[in-house]
């Protein structure tokens, strides 16, 4: 399902050197004894998730079937990135199943919000607002605007088309949802935003967008079983975490997450939040950055190959993306491309990956970790996301930081609120 190749990672230590530390940190995750232990609910979630709520989500999709062609998903950060990453990886960038998902609540840009308002003029819309705190400014601004749009458009029926995902009891969004009579779904107390894709945060929009959420949870459960071993020699998630620590100690301050398909760009964005927000604190952490090849080889390739030796790459390769194309022959061959006639584009992409790996690693001496995932199904998505959760928790605990808080994010909010005149 998922394998990791460390042979070009240039690790100069053995995983076994970290065995005792990994075992200790495994205890932090599984016994809830580490920093931020109030927020490790995601560890057991593939086993313990609320099956009743899960069935309610499936029933919601049934209830709304045929009534919408557009899903507005209003949220930011952990209340947004996981669902978008899943949709694009699983369904591609231009799905043709009659449901368009549009993400709002993740920007103050009036230009973007105006474009969405214009775009949905003739659409049949449902709106899922997602916020654990219920007070996030970007989300609240968009929600008020689109709530009013829904009320103007659907009148009394608007409340049947608005779904709120938030805290089970607290917060202004919960209060508003109860007052208006919206269907509500819960973000558990002990699961933070960036670890929440397997809760209603991810499941509601994904179900509405026709993703098989049962398969997704089955994949997460399989990953739970596969990555529950405290022995680093037997646990690829912990090996990835240790490799990150070894490279960090060697002075590599940046990790570039590399994909080879444009529909995986949001996986990279999700991964950047997961590792950046979890690890970047107390003056520590590896800067998570990303690129999509071969596209970005034509922009960032030069720096990676010959620029400052500050980064390593983690290549996220999906072995079977489903669709393929055979490159056509041309009788005139004026473009001199007939040498590829009859070849599959998946093979061309694979050769690009192999060649780039050799150029960056052998010639440029850039360490490369390669993670292979079998395919882009919902099951594999669930499996892969849980793998990264586990690796991230371990990586942070090995570094000695709390993986589950984000105190630095508050600083910009305070400065902004002062300027906006918020009490
Ligand atoms: O990972 C996180 O905790 C953050 O990215 C939050 O998800 C994000 O700030 C949105 O917060 P909320 O769900 O409270 O609106």
């Amino acid at each position: 399902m998922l394998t990791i190749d460390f042979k070009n990672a240039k690790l100069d230590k053995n995983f076994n050197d970290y065995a005792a530390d990994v075992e200790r940190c495994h205890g932090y995750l599984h016994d809830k004894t580490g920093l931020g232990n109030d927020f490790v609910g995601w560890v057991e979630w593939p086993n313990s998730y609320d099956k009743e709520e899960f069935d309610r989500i499936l029933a919601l999709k049934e209830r709304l079937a045929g009534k919408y062609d557009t899903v507005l998903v209003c949220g930011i950060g952990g209340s947004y990135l996981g669902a978008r990453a899943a949709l694009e990886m699983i369904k591609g960038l231009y799905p043709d199943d009659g449901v368009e998902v549009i993400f709002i609540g993740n920007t103050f840009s009036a230009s973007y919000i105006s474009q969405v308002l214009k775009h949905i003029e003739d659409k049949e819309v449902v709106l899922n607002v997602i916020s654990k705190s219920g007070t996030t400014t970007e989300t609240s601004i968009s929600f008020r605007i689109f709530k009013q749009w829904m009320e103007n458009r659907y009148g009394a029926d608007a409340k049947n088309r608005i779904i709120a995902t938030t805290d089970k009891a607290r917060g202004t969004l919960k209060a508003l949802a109860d007052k208006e009579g919206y269907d509500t779904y819960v973000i558990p107390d002990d699961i933070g935003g960036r670890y929440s894709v397997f809760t209603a945060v991810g499941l509601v929009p994904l179900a509405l967008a026709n993703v098989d959420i049962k398969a997704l949870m089955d994949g997460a459960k399989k990953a739970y079983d596969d990555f529950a071993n405290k022995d680093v020699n037997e646990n690829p998630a912990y090996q990835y975490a240790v490799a990150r620590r070894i490279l960090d100690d060697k002075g590599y301050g940046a990790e570039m997450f590399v994909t080879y398909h444009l529909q995986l760009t949001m996986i990279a964005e999700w991964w950047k939040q997961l590792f950046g927000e979890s690890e970047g604190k107390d003056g520590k952490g590896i800067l998570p950055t990303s690129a999509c090849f071969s596209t970005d080889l034509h922009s960032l390739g030069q720096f990676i190959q010959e620029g400052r030796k500050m980064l390593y790459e983690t290549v996220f390769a999906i072995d079977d993306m489903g669709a393929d194309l055979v490159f056509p022959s041309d009788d005139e061959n004026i473009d001199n491309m007939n040498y590829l006639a009859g070849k599959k584009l998946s093979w061309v992409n694979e050769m690009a990956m192999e060649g780039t790996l050799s150029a960056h690693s052998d010639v440029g001496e850039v360490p490369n970790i390669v993670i292979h995932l079998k395919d882009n199904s919902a099951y594999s998505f669930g499996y892969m996301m849980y793998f990264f959760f586990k690796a991230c928790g371990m990586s942070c605990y090995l570094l000695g930081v709390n993986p589950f808080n984000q105190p630095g994010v508050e600083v910009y909010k305070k400065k902004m609120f002062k300027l906006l005149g918020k009490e």
Side-chain angles (χ1 to χ4, degrees):
M1 173 60 58
L2 182 150
T3 55
I4 313 187
D5 185 349
F6 291 106
K7 74 172 175 294
N8 292 300
K10 308 187 195 304
L11 306 177
D12 52 12
K13 286 184 181 164
N14 295 317
F15 294 134
N16 211 37
D17 298 344
Y18 289 77
D21 283 335
V22 166
E23 196 171 326
R24 174 175 51 82
C25 297
H26 174 86
Y28 294 164
L29 289 170
H30 281 263
D31 306 333
K32 305 186 183 178
T33 49
L35 290 166
N37 57 354
D38 286 352
F39 286 95
V40 285
W42 59 270
V43 174
E44 287 297 328
W45 190 251
N47 299 316
S48 66
Y49 70 93
D50 184 343
K51 313 293 181 302
E52 220 170 89
E53 181 173 77
F54 188 87
D55 289 343
R56 268 206 313 124
I57 294 171
L58 295 176
L60 170 76
K61 182 177 156 46
E62 287 301 306
R63 173 171 77 74
L64 292 170
K67 291 192 175 147
Y68 66 95
D69 52 32
T70 302
V71 184
L72 295 179
V73 180
C74 185
I76 195 167
S79 290
Y80 143 71
L81 285 163
R84 183 157 178 191
L87 277 174
E88 294 193 2
M89 171 173 151
I90 297 165
K91 292 182 58 179
L93 296 173
Y94 304 104
D96 57 1
D97 62 350
V99 178
E100 183 180 19
V101 180
I102 300 174
F103 291 90
I104 57 171
N106 53 358
T107 178
F108 293 126
S109 165
S111 165
Y112 177 75
I113 296 168
S114 307
Q115 287 169 50
V116 176
L117 284 165
K118 192 162 182 338
H119 182 76
I120 62 175
E121 264 167 19
D122 302 321
K123 310 280 184 188
E124 293 301 335
V125 178
V126 292
L127 166 57
N128 179 201
V129 57
I130 308 171
S131 177
K132 184 167 183 174
S133 62
T135 56
T136 301
T137 318
E138 291 86 342
T139 305
S140 300
I141 284 181
S142 276
F143 183 55
R144 181 182 285 193
I145 292 170
F146 285 90
K147 174 179 181 288
Q148 290 184 358
W149 185 92
M150 295 288 283
E151 287 164 355
N152 286 336
R153 173 71 176 271
Y154 295 108
D157 193 35
K159 74 173 174 36
N160 301 317
R161 291 173 169 269
I162 300 178
I163 306 131
T165 306
T166 188
D167 188 89
K168 69 174 181 306
R170 284 170 306 198
T172 46
L173 179 56
K174 173 66 180 155
L176 193 146
D178 287 347
K179 181 187 162 286
E180 299 283 2
Y182 301 152
D183 229 344
T184 59
Y185 296 86
V186 173
I187 309 178
D189 285 342
D190 57 357
I191 300 183
R194 58 192 176 275
Y195 295 83
S196 70
V197 69
F198 299 125
T199 72
V201 170
L203 298 182
V204 171
L206 292 174
L208 292 173
N210 299 323
V211 170
D212 183 350
I213 58 171
K214 171 86 176 61
L216 189 138
M217 293 308 291
D218 287 348
K221 165 76 177 108
K222 176 79 170 100
Y224 173 90
D225 293 338
D226 287 358
F227 305 122
N229 198 323
K230 65 185 176 195
D231 181 353
V232 66
N233 297 299
E234 303 293 333
N235 190 329
Y238 292 170
Q239 290 171 3
Y240 173 52
V242 168
R244 300 182 82 252
R245 296 276 60 86
I246 294 173
L247 291 165
D248 191 357
D249 289 345
K250 281 179 80 172
Y252 292 100
E255 175 173 4
M256 183 171 274
F257 188 85
V258 173
T259 57
Y260 275 82
H261 295 274
L262 291 170
Q263 76 196 72
L264 302 180
T265 301
M266 289 309 297
I267 295 284
E269 295 304 311
W270 170 86
W271 173 91
K272 287 194 293 202
Q273 189 208 358
L274 180 68
F275 280 89
E277 224 175 32
S278 298
E279 203 177 69
K281 52 199 70 157
D282 305 338
K284 301 181 191 175
I286 300 167
L287 172 72
T289 177
S290 66
C292 183
F293 291 169
S294 65
T295 316
D296 294 335
L297 288 171
H298 297 258
S299 55
L300 292 169
Q302 172 61 34
F303 187 98
I304 301 164
Q305 190 70 47
E306 295 182 344
R308 187 169 159 191
K309 295 294 159 207
M310 57 184 282
L311 65 85
Y312 64 93
E313 292 168 290
T314 294
V315 178
F316 175 56
I318 296 190
D319 296 335
D320 180 4
M321 290 290 289
D324 213 338
L325 287 172
V326 175
F327 188 65
S329 177
D330 186 282
D331 288 346
E332 293 189 61
N333 193 30
I334 297 170
D335 56 8
N336 289 323
M337 293 300 289
N338 267 356
Y339 77 102
L340 288 177
K343 299 279 195 253
K344 288 181 175 172
L345 284 194
S346 61
W347 177 81
V348 175
N349 212 14
E350 213 179 295
M351 294 306 104
M353 188 175 123
E354 267 185 40
T356 305
L357 186 64
S358 174
H360 288 184
S361 174
D362 303 340
V363 184
E365 298 195 345
V366 176
N368 263 260
I369 297 168
V370 184
I371 299 175
H372 284 275
L373 186 70
K374 187 168 157 257
D375 56 37
N376 65 326
S377 64
Y379 183 92
S380 297
F381 173 87
Y383 190 92
M384 173 271 297
M385 284 251 162
Y386 191 85
F387 162 85
F388 280 119
F389 284 162
K390 212 65 196 291
C392 185
M394 175 56 68
S395 184
C396 292
Y397 278 144
L398 287 172
L399 185 64
V401 300
N402 179 346
F404 310 118
N405 65 358
Q406 53 282 330
V409 181
E410 297 310 311
V411 182
Y412 100 87
K413 290 184 188 168
K414 278 195 189 129
K415 298 274 187 197
M416 179 181 74
F417 289 149
K418 196 165 174 216
L419 293 168
L420 293 175
K422 186 178 178 184
E423 298 282 302

